Amino acid sequence: MTQAISTKVLTAHVPLPLADKVDQMAERLERSRGWIMKQALSAWLSQEEERERLTREALADVEAGHVIDHQSVQAWADSLGTDEPLPVPR
C-alpha cells in the first residue's frame, strides 16, 4: 500500500523564456510541468546542500590548520606552463 505524501503549492513568477523551456521539456519527456519543476527544485536543493557541506568541511580544515600557504600554491601555479611543473602542494 502506497502512503500519500502531503504537498504544498508554491508559486513563483518566472520569465516567459524559462517557462517556455519548462513546457518544452515537459512535452518532450511526456511529463507534467509540475513534475519538471519538482525535479529541478530537488536537484537545486541537493546541489546547495552539498555546497554547504563542502564549505563546512573546508572551514573545519582551516580551523584544524590543514591549509596550504599562498606562496606554495602560487609557485605551483606559475610552474604549470613550464617544462618542469612542480608537484601539487600538500
Side-chain angles (χ1 to χ4, degrees):
M1 182 163 55
T2 304
Q3 185 177 11
I5 297 175
S6 297
T7 63
K8 181 178 184 177
V9 174
L10 301 175
T11 303
H13 290 269
V14 297
L16 287 176
L18 182 57
D20 290 343
K21 285 183 179 183
V22 169
D23 289 340
Q24 291 167 9
M25 186 63 67
E27 186 176 329
R28 187 173 70 81
L29 296 176
E30 297 180 355
R31 295 287 189 157
S32 69
R33 180 188 294 157
W35 186 89
I36 299 294
M37 298 300 292
K38 283 186 268 188
Q39 294 298 312
L41 186 55
S42 292
W44 181 79
L45 288 170
S46 293
Q47 176 184 324
E48 289 304 309
E49 288 168 348
E50 179 67 1
R51 184 186 329 262
E52 183 179 349
R53 185 191 68 76
L54 291 171
T55 298
R56 284 194 311 272
E57 186 179 297
L59 290 172
D61 279 345
V62 169
E63 288 179 17
H66 303 140
V67 296
I68 301 170
D69 67 272
H70 176 74
Q71 290 173 333
S72 297
V73 173
Q74 188 64 56
W76 168 75
D78 290 344
S79 77
L80 293 178
T82 69
D83 291 337
E84 295 183 34
L86 296 173
V88 174
R90 303 206 183 271

